[in-house]
Amino acid sequence: MDTSTIISIKELPPEENMLPGTAACAGCGGLLTLRYCLKALGDKIIIVNAAGCFTLLTIYPFSPFRNSWLYTAMACAPAGAQGVRDALDILIKKGKLDPEENLKVVVLSGDGSAYDMALSSTSGAIYRNLDFYYICYDNEAYGNTGFQHSGASPFGSRTGTTPPGKEVPVGSQLQKKNLFDIWNSHKPPYIATVSPAYPVDLMNKFKKAEQFKGPKLFISHIPCPPGWGFDPSRSVRLAKLSVETGLWPLKESVHGEVEHTYVPKRFKPVEEYLKEQERFSHLFKPVRQEDALKSIQEMVDEYWKKHEFLP
Amino acid sequence: MLRLRFHGRGGQGAKVASRVLGTAAFLDGYNAQDFPLYGAERRGAPITAFTRISRDDIMERGLVSDPDIVIVMDETLLLDPQAMPLSGLKIGGIVFVNTPLSPLETKEEYGIEDHVVTLDITKVSLDMIGKPVLSSLAAGVASRIAGIGEGALKGALEKELSGIISDREILGKNTDAALHCYNALVPVQVKTAETIRERDNVITLPFEIARVSSPAINATGNTPLRKTGNWRVFRPVWNYDICTRCMTCVARCPEGCIRLNEDGYPYADYDNCKGCLVCAEECPVKAITKVREIHSRSEEGDR
Ligand SMILES: Cc1ncc(C[n+]2csc(CCOP(=O)(O)OP(=O)(O)O)c2C)c(N)n1
Ligand code: SF4
Ligand code: SF4
Ligand code: SF4
């Protein structure tokens, strides 16, 4: 692939490596992310898919992909990727597979898998310096089984298992795990956060990752219309808001060195993002939960202060 | 015993409709059962839910394969081989269809031999609630057809919806819309035979070992054949007089189903466009408008 950077959406590769007609919800931000990722990766790949919404993209006898696809249970996609990588390497070494026929190995998983169940197998794969791409589409819950709380669910959100009520009006009381930092502490060659609202940034990160052998990890923060509770047409708008409010920093790490790739000129108040979603509606109605709203804003401000983008 | 089957699309509220009906029947002194069928599909895909109503104990369990009443909340489902809402309908059964067509037109359009009742509940919902969410309205029509009293329906709406909708105003609008639909229909007598029409019946698959039952797919890129275009309630329509060919809509479509014509102007593959309207929302010059899909007459709207 040509690794020069692009500057506008007009330069996105025209090839579509994922076709329409899938079972994903209308307006799924994860599907949009995947469409861009496959533009960047091309079709000589094999996707190892942990159970989740995206296992449903391929339902017998249909597949939206031009590439190969393998389905695993939630906890073991990185282990599956290791097996596929080893098999490809051995076949090439024995001369049974033309090196031209080599495939890039790509793990695709939701946050429930990436942040929780598959964390140990991912850690193992990074530790072994497995040469693969890992894409996590993070809808901040276990989307496929009814939007239950995951390690990625943010403080103050309503999920299937953290309904706000009399005892706990705020919903989820836990803070989202910092998967970027967890991965980064393993010092893999390349990690990035991406967003479906910033396809140029996403594309350039994949182009950059291309040069590294070893784990190349991507987390995409993706709006989920049924889980988050908003009209599907607002999907890209919400992805933009999560970045513009500073909630989802766009950054990358090369061998452990972190750099932000986009910093909003003026941070929008997080409320603008929260108030558009049903999963945060209890923070505004019937009574405004000032403390919760304030602490969410403070958490964002602290992050950017620590990185010296805010005084 | 009356057996009902609701056919809707994920997000339209088939599950809630069957639940409201079950509760309404219970409040009216019947025994009732209601439950949805969760398949592998998502918002927009065909969804089924069931209700059983009886004066006696209900000893039957499992899916309703031979309903007396079928509630079709989205008329495109009538042609969808994945949904087949009429399968197993008892002779003399009642089919409710959400459509702007009259019962006679609907019978002709879709070749239905049984008693058809119609109402454009999507329009009622857009007019009265402002959104195409049909749960309470479908519960309203189903209650009328099943002969449930208005008071019981009201009680069930309050009981079931207050747990889901926190905003009292929206809850009120839902109740009004449901009662409007209830009263828009004339009462019918449900007198079904115990026999079903011999067509399109539910096929029971035999148990197979994993090697047979989890087959591999050896085709690539064939999902366009699934034609998810009938998931739409609204379609995007382009105005080339103002379109600047900036490519934003092409880039932003989650499905990747916007193409370019010979002049470089974008158009949607309506066979697969799910109608999310991200394209319309993101177009910087507002060259894309949202047009209500009227399925039975939609052909001329295609490019
Ligand atoms: C080991 C294991 N446990 C449970 C399941 C059942 N399961 C299938 S999908 C899913 C939810 C996955 O959530 P997430 O990884 O966040 O992906 P999403 O559904 O949001 O795409 C669960 C619990 C499974 N397939 N494997
Ligand atoms: S539930 Fe959310 S993440 Fe899953 S397919 Fe639907 S929109 Fe996408
Ligand atoms: S986004 Fe609007 S102006 Fe741009 S190509 Fe699409 S329709 Fe035309
Ligand atoms: S409505 Fe627009 S963005 Fe959504 S699927 Fe259709 S063409 Fe694509």
Side-chain angles (χ1 to χ4, degrees):
Chain A
M1 185 175 74
D2 162 23
T3 52
S4 58
T5 56
I6 63 167
I7 53 168
S8 90
I9 55 158
K10 289 207 181 194
E11 295 168 71
L12 292 175
E15 300 81 29
E16 298 292 350
N17 291 317
M18 188 194 68
L19 280 79
T22 67
C25 309
C28 173
L31 197 68
L32 185 55
T33 293
L34 183 58
R35 186 180 153 230
Y36 296 137
C37 292
L38 294 189
K39 276 179 184 284
L41 289 167
D43 60 357
K44 290 184 81 175
I45 64 171
I46 174 161
I47 294 179
V48 184
N49 202 154
C53 289
F54 283 6
T55 4
L56 308 174
L57 299 183
T58 300
I59 305 176
Y60 184 82
F62 300 108
S63 169
F65 301 119
R66 298 195 193 280
N67 53 269
S68 299
W69 181 89
L70 175 76
Y71 169 41
T72 74
M74 282 182 76
C76 53
Q82 179 84 53
V84 172
R85 186 64 264 160
D86 290 352
L88 287 166
D89 289 345
I90 292 166
L91 288 173
I92 290 171
K93 200 167 168 192
K94 285 188 172 170
K96 290 190 174 165
L97 186 72
D98 186 339
E100 284 282 295
E101 296 277 310
N102 195 7
L103 300 173
K104 292 176 192 153
V105 180
V106 181
V107 162
L108 178 61
S109 85
D111 51 284
S113 170
Y115 284 69
D116 297 337
M117 284 197 215
L119 195 49
S120 73
S121 68
T122 313
S123 173
I126 305 174
Y127 179 67
R128 295 188 302 270
N129 202 37
L130 175 64
D131 186 25
F132 77 135
Y133 292 80
Y134 189 126
I135 303 164
C136 163
Y137 58 98
D138 179 1
N139 58 16
E140 308 194 314
Y142 289 76
N144 187 42
T145 38
F147 211 73
Q148 301 91 352
H149 190 269
S150 86
S153 300
F155 170 78
S157 67
R158 171 210 305 263
T159 69
T161 40
T162 58
K166 277 207 188 73
E167 295 283 316
V168 186
V170 72
S172 169
Q173 295 172 286
L174 302 175
Q175 296 288 351
K176 188 178 171 89
K177 278 188 202 171
N178 191 334
L179 187 64
F180 185 92
D181 282 1
I182 296 173
W183 279 352
N184 206 31
S185 67
H186 295 68
K187 299 223 183 328
Y190 192 82
I191 318 177
T193 58
V194 293
S195 162
Y198 295 81
V200 173
D201 177 79
L202 181 152
M203 186 66 55
N204 288 331
K205 284 173 173 165
F206 271 87
K207 285 185 174 219
K208 190 161 181 179
E210 181 98 330
Q211 60 184 297
F212 301 106
K213 204 168 151 64
K216 297 166 276 277
L217 312 157
F218 298 82
I219 320 171
S220 182
H221 190 228
I222 62 119
C224 166
W228 294 13
F230 65 87
D231 189 86
S233 65
R234 314 283 267 182
S235 205
V236 169
R237 182 188 151 79
L238 274 169
K240 262 186 233 161
L241 277 173
S242 84
V243 172
E244 297 285 337
T245 54
L247 260 167
W248 187 249
L250 292 179
K251 55 188 173 181
E252 63 184 6
S253 161
V254 177
H255 295 299
E257 286 297 313
V258 180
E259 269 195 53
H260 288 81
T261 56
Y262 172 81
V263 180
K265 286 196 189 67
R266 219 195 93 248
F267 290 92
K268 292 192 167 143
V270 286
E271 255 188 50
E272 277 194 37
Y273 165 80
L274 302 175
K275 72 178 186 220
E276 295 217 6
Q277 305 169 49
E278 193 51 44
R279 65 173 174 154
F280 293 114
S281 63
H282 58 282
L283 299 180
F284 300 94
K285 266 187 188 177
V287 278
R288 263 179 79 89
Q289 301 193 36
E290 289 299 348
D291 287 353
L293 291 168
K294 200 163 144 246
S295 86
I296 297 172
Q297 184 67 59
E298 276 170 4
M299 185 197 71
V300 173
D301 292 347
E302 261 160 41
Y303 175 89
W304 292 100
K305 273 182 198 150
K306 193 176 92 196
H307 290 279
E308 298 177 352
F309 290 103
L310 272 184
Chain B
M1 173 160 44
L2 275 187
R3 298 173 184 84
L4 287 93
R5 205 167 59 208
F6 290 80
H7 290 270
R9 295 196 168 278
Q12 278 182 335
K15 173 192 136 189
V16 175
S18 81
R19 189 158 156 183
V20 173
L21 175 68
T23 303
F26 182 73
L27 295 177
D28 225 8
Y30 293 90
N31 290 316
Q33 245 182 26
D34 66 79
F35 52 96
L37 172 67
Y38 283 117
E41 305 267 356
R42 322 219 60 74
R43 178 177 278 202
I47 299 286
T48 316
F50 312 89
T51 315
R52 288 192 180 92
I53 301 172
S54 175
R55 289 278 176 211
D56 306 320
D57 291 348
I58 303 176
M59 305 310 287
E60 197 173 284
R61 296 291 183 272
L63 313 184
V64 170
S65 55
D66 50 350
D68 304 281
I69 300 168
V70 169
I71 306 289
V72 184
M73 295 164 64
D74 189 308
E75 70 178 287
T76 64
L77 293 169
L78 285 164
L79 301 175
D80 194 323
Q82 209 186 332
M84 302 213 302
L86 302 183
S87 64
L89 180 70
K90 288 206 192 110
I91 291 174
I94 296 179
V95 185
F96 170 81
V97 185
N98 169 18
T99 173
L101 300 182
S102 71
L104 205 65
E105 288 170 322
T106 308
K107 282 180 132 179
E108 276 169 16
E109 179 84 28
Y110 296 105
I112 306 175
E113 291 160 69
D114 303 278
H115 187 122
V116 170
V117 178
T118 67
L119 185 66
D120 187 355
I121 59 171
T122 302
K123 182 171 187 319
V124 177
S125 158
L126 290 170
D127 291 349
M128 296 184 68
I129 307 176
K131 277 200 261 182
V133 178
L134 309 176
S135 43
S136 47
L137 299 86
V141 297
S143 298
R144 179 59 133 192
I145 295 169
I148 306 295
E150 190 171 347
L153 170 63
K154 255 193 216 164
L157 287 163
E158 172 65 31
K159 196 167 156 45
E160 295 299 341
L161 298 186
S162 57
I164 316 171
I165 307 173
S166 49
D167 190 321
R168 292 303 302 181
E169 194 190 326
I170 301 176
L171 200 143
K173 284 183 181 173
N174 269 278
T175 308
D176 292 347
L179 296 173
H180 173 91
C181 294
Y182 181 92
N183 289 307
L185 299 188
V186 279
V188 282
Q189 276 281 343
V190 188
K191 276 208 196 109
T192 48
E194 278 307 306
T195 46
I196 60 171
R197 289 212 190 282
E198 282 306 319
R199 62 151 188 232
D200 306 342
N201 292 324
V202 176
I203 303 163
T204 316
L205 293 175
F207 176 81
E208 298 281 8
I209 54 165
R211 265 179 68 121
V212 179
S213 62
S214 50
I217 302 170
N218 295 314
T220 61
N222 59 352
T223 41
L225 294 170
R226 294 182 74 229
K227 299 205 192 301
T228 45
N230 59 358
W231 290 24
R232 284 192 305 268
V233 178
F234 298 99
R235 66 167 49 195
V237 173
W238 275 259
N239 177 352
Y240 295 154
D241 292 341
I242 37 180
C243 168
T244 60
R245 292 182 284 188
C246 69
M247 293 299 115
T248 304
C249 56
V250 180
R252 299 292 195 197
C253 172
E255 302 297 316
C257 69
I258 305 180
R259 315 239 162 77
L260 297 179
N261 68 15
E262 314 77 52
D263 303 321
Y265 285 103
Y267 69 91
D269 149 20
Y270 286 127
D271 275 351
N272 287 296
C273 156
K274 289 177 186 158
C276 66
L277 294 170
V278 166
C279 52
E281 181 78 17
E282 292 299 311
C283 171
V285 297
K286 298 283 158 234
I288 308 171
T289 44
K290 153 178 172 181
V291 177
R292 163 107 196 262
E293 196 78 40
I294 306 287
H295 290 285
S296 25
R297 296 173 184 148
S298 72
E299 295 309 319
E300 75 270 19
D302 282 357
R303 200 184 72 98

